[in-house]
PDB file of all heavy atoms in Angstrom:
ATOM      1  N   LEU V 206      19.393 117.585  58.788  1.00 94.00           N
ATOM      2  CA  LEU V 206      17.943 117.630  58.937  1.00 94.00           C
ATOM      3  C   LEU V 206      17.607 118.731  59.927  1.00 94.00           C
ATOM      4  O   LEU V 206      18.065 118.704  61.075  1.00 94.00           O
ATOM      5  CB  LEU V 206      17.393 116.294  59.444  1.00 94.00           C
ATOM      6  CG  LEU V 206      15.886 116.296  59.749  1.00 94.00           C
ATOM      7  CD1 LEU V 206      15.075 116.384  58.456  1.00 94.00           C
ATOM      8  CD2 LEU V 206      15.484 115.064  60.552  1.00 94.00           C
ATOM      9  N   VAL V 207      16.812 119.700  59.503  1.00 94.00           N
ATOM     10  CA  VAL V 207      16.335 120.757  60.383  1.00 94.00           C
ATOM     11  C   VAL V 207      14.910 120.416  60.806  1.00 94.00           C
ATOM     12  O   VAL V 207      14.043 120.191  59.951  1.00 94.00           O
ATOM     13  CB  VAL V 207      16.357 122.129  59.682  1.00 94.00           C
ATOM     14  CG1 VAL V 207      15.739 123.195  60.587  1.00 94.00           C
ATOM     15  CG2 VAL V 207      17.780 122.518  59.309  1.00 94.00           C
ATOM     16  N   VAL V 208      14.686 120.336  62.097  1.00 94.00           N
ATOM     17  CA  VAL V 208      13.339 120.111  62.632  1.00 94.00           C
ATOM     18  C   VAL V 208      12.928 121.383  63.343  1.00 94.00           C
ATOM     19  O   VAL V 208      13.501 121.745  64.375  1.00 94.00           O
ATOM     20  CB  VAL V 208      13.306 118.914  63.601  1.00 94.00           C
ATOM     21  CG1 VAL V 208      11.886 118.695  64.110  1.00 94.00           C
ATOM     22  CG2 VAL V 208      13.828 117.658  62.924  1.00 94.00           C
ATOM     23  N   THR V 209      11.954 122.069  62.783  1.00 93.00           N
ATOM     24  CA  THR V 209      11.523 123.336  63.358  1.00 93.00           C
ATOM     25  C   THR V 209      10.036 123.279  63.673  1.00 93.00           C
ATOM     26  O   THR V 209       9.307 122.410  63.197  1.00 93.00           O
ATOM     27  CB  THR V 209      11.850 124.505  62.395  1.00 93.00           C
ATOM     28  OG1 THR V 209      11.549 125.742  63.035  1.00 93.00           O
ATOM     29  CG2 THR V 209      11.055 124.391  61.106  1.00 93.00           C
ATOM     30  N   GLY V 215       6.951 119.234  70.160  1.00 86.00           N
ATOM     31  CA  GLY V 215       7.660 117.975  70.372  1.00 86.00           C
ATOM     32  C   GLY V 215       9.018 117.898  69.712  1.00 86.00           C
ATOM     33  O   GLY V 215       9.519 116.801  69.449  1.00 86.00           O
ATOM     34  N   LYS V 216       9.653 119.038  69.472  1.00 90.00           N
ATOM     35  CA  LYS V 216      10.943 119.042  68.773  1.00 90.00           C
ATOM     36  C   LYS V 216      12.010 118.276  69.558  1.00 90.00           C
ATOM     37  O   LYS V 216      12.763 117.492  68.981  1.00 90.00           O
ATOM     38  CB  LYS V 216      11.403 120.489  68.548  1.00 90.00           C
ATOM     39  CG  LYS V 216      10.464 121.318  67.690  1.00 90.00           C
ATOM     40  CD  LYS V 216      11.013 122.710  67.447  1.00 90.00           C
ATOM     41  CE  LYS V 216      11.144 123.527  68.725  1.00 90.00           C
ATOM     42  NZ  LYS V 216       9.863 123.738  69.420  1.00 90.00           N
ATOM     43  N   THR V 217      12.096 118.525  70.861  1.00 88.00           N
ATOM     44  CA  THR V 217      13.117 117.845  71.662  1.00 88.00           C
ATOM     45  C   THR V 217      12.877 116.347  71.688  1.00 88.00           C
ATOM     46  O   THR V 217      13.815 115.548  71.547  1.00 88.00           O
ATOM     47  CB  THR V 217      13.125 118.402  73.096  1.00 88.00           C
ATOM     48  OG1 THR V 217      13.510 119.776  73.064  1.00 88.00           O
ATOM     49  CG2 THR V 217      14.096 117.626  73.972  1.00 88.00           C
ATOM     50  N   ALA V 218      11.639 115.948  71.867  1.00 86.00           N
ATOM     51  CA  ALA V 218      11.319 114.521  71.867  1.00 86.00           C
ATOM     52  C   ALA V 218      11.695 113.883  70.540  1.00 86.00           C
ATOM     53  O   ALA V 218      12.244 112.781  70.488  1.00 86.00           O
ATOM     54  CB  ALA V 218       9.833 114.316  72.154  1.00 86.00           C
ATOM     55  N   VAL V 219      11.419 114.576  69.450  1.00 89.00           N
ATOM     56  CA  VAL V 219      11.783 114.067  68.130  1.00 89.00           C
ATOM     57  C   VAL V 219      13.296 113.924  68.014  1.00 89.00           C
ATOM     58  O   VAL V 219      13.807 112.922  67.500  1.00 89.00           O
ATOM     59  CB  VAL V 219      11.230 114.991  67.022  1.00 89.00           C
ATOM     60  CG1 VAL V 219      11.871 114.678  65.678  1.00 89.00           C
ATOM     61  CG2 VAL V 219       9.721 114.851  66.925  1.00 89.00           C
ATOM     62  N   ALA V 220      14.035 114.912  68.493  1.00 90.00           N
ATOM     63  CA  ALA V 220      15.490 114.857  68.413  1.00 90.00           C
ATOM     64  C   ALA V 220      16.050 113.656  69.169  1.00 90.00           C
ATOM     65  O   ALA V 220      16.936 112.944  68.678  1.00 90.00           O
ATOM     66  CB  ALA V 220      16.086 116.150  68.967  1.00 90.00           C
ATOM     67  N   LEU V 221      15.539 113.408  70.367  1.00 87.00           N
ATOM     68  CA  LEU V 221      16.028 112.290  71.170  1.00 87.00           C
ATOM     69  C   LEU V 221      15.659 110.953  70.540  1.00 87.00           C
ATOM     70  O   LEU V 221      16.483 110.021  70.491  1.00 87.00           O
ATOM     71  CB  LEU V 221      15.464 112.386  72.586  1.00 87.00           C
ATOM     72  CG  LEU V 221      15.955 113.583  73.407  1.00 87.00           C
ATOM     73  CD1 LEU V 221      15.154 113.723  74.684  1.00 87.00           C
ATOM     74  CD2 LEU V 221      17.434 113.441  73.721  1.00 87.00           C
ATOM     75  N   VAL V 527      23.394 116.063  67.199  1.00 94.00           N
ATOM     76  CA  VAL V 527      22.037 116.567  67.380  1.00 94.00           C
ATOM     77  C   VAL V 527      22.128 117.860  68.177  1.00 94.00           C
ATOM     78  O   VAL V 527      22.779 117.902  69.227  1.00 94.00           O
ATOM     79  CB  VAL V 527      21.157 115.549  68.145  1.00 94.00           C
ATOM     80  CG1 VAL V 527      19.748 116.097  68.329  1.00 94.00           C
ATOM     81  CG2 VAL V 527      21.117 114.212  67.413  1.00 94.00           C
ATOM     82  N   VAL V 528      21.494 118.914  67.699  1.00 95.00           N
ATOM     83  CA  VAL V 528      21.563 120.219  68.357  1.00 95.00           C
ATOM     84  C   VAL V 528      20.148 120.657  68.715  1.00 95.00           C
ATOM     85  O   VAL V 528      19.310 120.855  67.833  1.00 95.00           O
ATOM     86  CB  VAL V 528      22.217 121.287  67.453  1.00 95.00           C
ATOM     87  CG1 VAL V 528      22.422 122.578  68.234  1.00 95.00           C
ATOM     88  CG2 VAL V 528      23.530 120.788  66.888  1.00 95.00           C
ATOM     89  N   ASP V 529      19.865 120.793  69.999  1.00 94.00           N
ATOM     90  CA  ASP V 529      18.554 121.277  70.443  1.00 94.00           C
ATOM     91  C   ASP V 529      18.659 122.745  70.844  1.00 94.00           C
ATOM     92  O   ASP V 529      19.740 123.220  71.209  1.00 94.00           O
ATOM     93  CB  ASP V 529      18.050 120.445  71.618  1.00 94.00           C
ATOM     94  CG  ASP V 529      16.527 120.490  71.739  1.00 94.00           C
ATOM     95  OD1 ASP V 529      15.901 121.330  71.062  1.00 94.00           O
ATOM     96  OD2 ASP V 529      15.971 119.684  72.505  1.00 94.00           O
ATOM     97  N   GLU V 530      17.534 123.448  70.778  1.00 93.00           N
ATOM     98  CA  GLU V 530      17.519 124.902  70.993  1.00 93.00           C
ATOM     99  C   GLU V 530      18.556 125.561  70.083  1.00 93.00           C
ATOM    100  O   GLU V 530      19.291 126.486  70.478  1.00 93.00           O
ATOM    101  CB  GLU V 530      17.787 125.242  72.467  1.00 93.00           C
ATOM    102  CG  GLU V 530      16.768 124.662  73.437  1.00 93.00           C
ATOM    103  CD  GLU V 530      15.386 125.312  73.331  1.00 93.00           C
ATOM    104  OE1 GLU V 530      15.278 126.425  72.788  1.00 93.00           O
ATOM    105  OE2 GLU V 530      14.403 124.681  73.780  1.00 93.00           O
ATOM    106  N   ALA V 531      18.594 125.088  68.849  1.00 94.00           N
ATOM    107  CA  ALA V 531      19.640 125.497  67.907  1.00 94.00           C
ATOM    108  C   ALA V 531      19.536 126.960  67.512  1.00 94.00           C
ATOM    109  O   ALA V 531      20.516 127.551  67.045  1.00 94.00           O
ATOM    110  CB  ALA V 531      19.577 124.614  66.658  1.00 94.00           C
ATOM    111  N   GLN V 532      18.362 127.542  67.678  1.00 94.00           N
ATOM    112  CA  GLN V 532      18.189 128.939  67.273  1.00 94.00           C
ATOM    113  C   GLN V 532      19.048 129.899  68.084  1.00 94.00           C
ATOM    114  O   GLN V 532      19.248 131.043  67.678  1.00 94.00           O
ATOM    115  CB  GLN V 532      16.714 129.350  67.404  1.00 94.00           C
ATOM    116  CG  GLN V 532      16.213 129.538  68.831  1.00 94.00           C
ATOM    117  CD  GLN V 532      15.866 128.244  69.545  1.00 94.00           C
ATOM    118  OE1 GLN V 532      15.768 127.207  68.915  1.00 94.00           O
ATOM    119  NE2 GLN V 532      15.651 128.305  70.851  1.00 94.00           N
ATOM    120  N   TRP V 539      28.389 127.525  65.682  1.00 96.00           N
ATOM    121  CA  TRP V 539      28.121 126.521  64.649  1.00 96.00           C
ATOM    122  C   TRP V 539      29.416 126.000  64.052  1.00 96.00           C
ATOM    123  O   TRP V 539      29.542 124.813  63.714  1.00 96.00           O
ATOM    124  CB  TRP V 539      27.224 127.100  63.554  1.00 96.00           C
ATOM    125  CG  TRP V 539      25.775 127.140  63.934  1.00 96.00           C
ATOM    126  CD1 TRP V 539      25.006 128.243  64.137  1.00 96.00           C
ATOM    127  CD2 TRP V 539      24.920 126.017  64.156  1.00 96.00           C
ATOM    128  NE1 TRP V 539      23.719 127.874  64.484  1.00 96.00           N
ATOM    129  CE2 TRP V 539      23.645 126.514  64.509  1.00 96.00           C
ATOM    130  CE3 TRP V 539      25.110 124.636  64.105  1.00 96.00           C
ATOM    131  CZ2 TRP V 539      22.568 125.684  64.790  1.00 96.00           C
ATOM    132  CZ3 TRP V 539      24.043 123.796  64.390  1.00 96.00           C
ATOM    133  CH2 TRP V 539      22.786 124.325  64.726  1.00 96.00           C
ATOM    134  N   THR V 552      21.326 116.628  63.064  1.00 95.00           N
ATOM    135  CA  THR V 552      19.914 116.925  63.279  1.00 95.00           C
ATOM    136  C   THR V 552      19.850 118.225  64.068  1.00 95.00           C
ATOM    137  O   THR V 552      20.379 118.306  65.182  1.00 95.00           O
ATOM    138  CB  THR V 552      19.206 115.806  64.063  1.00 95.00           C
ATOM    139  OG1 THR V 552      19.301 114.584  63.321  1.00 95.00           O
ATOM    140  CG2 THR V 552      17.743 116.150  64.284  1.00 95.00           C
ATOM    141  N   VAL V 553      19.243 119.236  63.484  1.00 95.00           N
ATOM    142  CA  VAL V 553      19.226 120.584  64.047  1.00 95.00           C
ATOM    143  C   VAL V 553      17.785 120.920  64.423  1.00 95.00           C
ATOM    144  O   VAL V 553      16.898 120.901  63.572  1.00 95.00           O
ATOM    145  CB  VAL V 553      19.775 121.597  63.025  1.00 95.00           C
ATOM    146  CG1 VAL V 553      19.652 123.013  63.546  1.00 95.00           C
ATOM    147  CG2 VAL V 553      21.226 121.272  62.682  1.00 95.00           C
ATOM    148  N   VAL V 554      17.558 121.211  65.693  1.00 95.00           N
ATOM    149  CA  VAL V 554      16.206 121.366  66.211  1.00 95.00           C
ATOM    150  C   VAL V 554      16.056 122.733  66.866  1.00 95.00           C
ATOM    151  O   VAL V 554      16.868 123.109  67.708  1.00 95.00           O
ATOM    152  CB  VAL V 554      15.901 120.258  67.254  1.00 95.00           C
ATOM    153  CG1 VAL V 554      14.501 120.428  67.816  1.00 95.00           C
ATOM    154  CG2 VAL V 554      16.061 118.883  66.625  1.00 95.00           C
ATOM    155  N   GLY V 555      15.019 123.478  66.491  1.00 94.00           N
ATOM    156  CA  GLY V 555      14.829 124.782  67.117  1.00 94.00           C
ATOM    157  C   GLY V 555      13.672 125.552  66.529  1.00 94.00           C
ATOM    158  O   GLY V 555      12.933 125.066  65.664  1.00 94.00           O
ATOM    159  N   ASP V 556      13.526 126.765  67.016  1.00 93.00           N
ATOM    160  CA  ASP V 556      12.412 127.632  66.624  1.00 93.00           C
ATOM    161  C   ASP V 556      12.891 129.072  66.748  1.00 93.00           C
ATOM    162  O   ASP V 556      13.208 129.525  67.849  1.00 93.00           O
ATOM    163  CB  ASP V 556      11.215 127.373  67.549  1.00 93.00           C
ATOM    164  CG  ASP V 556      10.110 128.405  67.388  1.00 93.00           C
ATOM    165  OD1 ASP V 556      10.007 128.994  66.294  1.00 93.00           O
ATOM    166  OD2 ASP V 556       9.350 128.608  68.357  1.00 93.00           O
ATOM    167  N   TRP V 569      17.339 129.775  59.394  1.00 92.00           N
ATOM    168  CA  TRP V 569      17.830 128.443  59.052  1.00 92.00           C
ATOM    169  C   TRP V 569      18.704 128.488  57.808  1.00 92.00           C
ATOM    170  O   TRP V 569      19.654 127.703  57.682  1.00 92.00           O
ATOM    171  CB  TRP V 569      16.667 127.474  58.854  1.00 92.00           C
ATOM    172  CG  TRP V 569      15.904 127.211  60.121  1.00 92.00           C
ATOM    173  CD1 TRP V 569      14.566 127.370  60.331  1.00 92.00           C
ATOM    174  CD2 TRP V 569      16.440 126.731  61.360  1.00 92.00           C
ATOM    175  NE1 TRP V 569      14.236 127.036  61.621  1.00 92.00           N
ATOM    176  CE2 TRP V 569      15.363 126.646  62.273  1.00 92.00           C
ATOM    177  CE3 TRP V 569      17.722 126.384  61.787  1.00 92.00           C
ATOM    178  CZ2 TRP V 569      15.539 126.213  63.579  1.00 92.00           C
ATOM    179  CZ3 TRP V 569      17.898 125.952  63.097  1.00 92.00           C
ATOM    180  CH2 TRP V 569      16.814 125.868  63.977  1.00 92.00           C
TER     181      TRP V 569
END
Side-chain angles (χ1 to χ4, degrees):
L206 175 70
V207 175
V208 181
T209 186
K216 299 183 296 299
T217 296
V219 166
L221 294 170
V527 180
V528 187
D529 204 348
E530 300 291 341
Q532 73 280 347
W539 281 114
T552 300
V553 175
V554 179
D556 169 26
W569 294 125

